[in-house]
Amino acid sequence: MNTHFKDAWYHLRHAGSHLGRGLREELQPAERKARELTGREQPPEPNRREKMRRNLRGVEHEAKRRSRDAMRDARKRMS
């Protein structure tokens, strides 16, 4: 009998977890709209991947700028 209760609690916790996720997902548009109307809308926090992409873009632009400057300096020296 005890194993039945353990199984029931497991399934109940699992169902509760899914219910919470489902409610958050379904209510997200309403929450966003309410935040917009009240002026409390905050931009989403960038996740780790987005931070890394932004950092890589910055490094890429810096590398391009440095290579252009180096080419410009080299051309000036050759002239």
Side-chain angles (χ1 to χ4, degrees):
M1 189 73 167
N2 194 18
T3 58
H4 296 295
F5 286 119
K6 286 182 181 177
D7 290 345
W9 274 113
Y10 168 79
H11 290 292
L12 191 60
R13 281 193 304 268
H14 196 66
S17 166
H18 278 277
L19 176 66
R21 280 190 253 154
L23 284 174
R24 267 187 282 200
E25 187 177 322
E26 287 295 319
L27 295 177
Q28 190 175 21
E31 179 188 9
R32 190 177 306 126
K33 185 68 175 175
R35 287 183 184 273
E36 285 177 10
L37 293 174
T38 59
R40 294 183 180 179
E41 182 63 29
Q42 299 172 353
E45 190 76 21
N47 59 15
R48 237 173 117 185
R49 184 176 54 179
E50 288 300 320
K51 288 178 185 177
M52 184 62 75
R53 280 184 182 172
R54 191 177 301 150
N55 188 20
L56 287 175
R57 284 186 204 126
V59 170
E60 180 183 7
H61 290 300
E62 179 67 18
K64 284 181 182 179
R65 186 188 62 78
R66 285 184 176 190
S67 66
R68 284 187 202 125
D69 291 346
M71 288 297 292
R72 189 178 308 120
D73 291 343
R75 285 185 186 129
K76 284 181 183 178
R77 287 184 202 145
M78 294 176 100
S79 301

